Amino acid sequence: QVQLVESGGGLVQPGGSLRLSCAASGSIFSINAMGWYRQAPGKQRELVAAITSSGSTNYADSVKGRFTISRDNAKNTVYLQMNSLKPEDTAVYYCNANLLQYGSTWSYDYWGQGTQVTVSS
């Protein structure tokens, strides 16, 4: 089985910073892309940032220049450094990984349980 465990969410004032982490564990042969999504109340889940196994990144326009995604392939971990946070960044943040398990032919998407980020004064 595969687990994605997130950490690092919380309450922060506008202009502050937070760092999210997501560690994948289990019977993992390889991990392709990893990413962060978020879902605010009453809104659809949206991509925040993604990173490939070779380090290529992609960001939502709303977070470019403020958020940085990175990964440690040796630890099967992806990070999201969030700076200059705004109230509109408030959401539940979900980790995603497209990975291949040992003994499997196809890669599948796996999700973390979500971590709440609240930006408020």
Side-chain angles (χ1 to χ4, degrees):
Q1 297 300 321
V2 172
Q3 273 194 316
L4 272 62
V5 178
E6 300 136 337
S7 61
L11 173 64
V12 64
Q13 292 187 342
S17 298
L18 282 175
R19 189 190 194 212
L20 305 183
S21 300
C22 172
S25 62
S27 180
I28 299 170
F29 178 76
S30 64
I31 302 179
N32 303 315
M34 301 184 81
W36 291 93
Y37 289 71
R38 67 186 180 187
Q39 188 166 18
K43 294 189 176 182
Q44 288 189 330
R45 189 174 297 189
E46 64 174 358
L47 174 68
V48 176
I51 184 168
T52 66
S53 57
S54 60
S56 296
T57 58
N58 182 43
Y59 295 93
D61 287 343
S62 59
V63 307
K64 283 180 181 177
R66 300 188 298 122
F67 291 9
T68 302
I69 189 170
S70 61
R71 64 191 279 177
D72 184 333
N73 290 331
K75 296 181 179 179
N76 289 340
T77 299
V78 63
Y79 306 95
L80 185 68
Q81 178 66 43
M82 304 185 293
N83 298 328
S84 303
L85 282 160
K86 304 175 181 181
E88 50 264 43
D89 294 318
T90 296
V92 178
Y93 283 70
Y94 297 92
C95 172
N96 170 271
N98 181 271
L99 61 86
L100 179 66
Q101 283 191 269
Y102 282 104
S104 179
T105 303
W106 303 102
S107 299
Y108 294 95
D109 281 335
Y110 292 84
W111 293 89
Q113 79 285 358
T115 185
Q116 177 70 45
V117 171
T118 302
V119 184
S120 175
S121 54

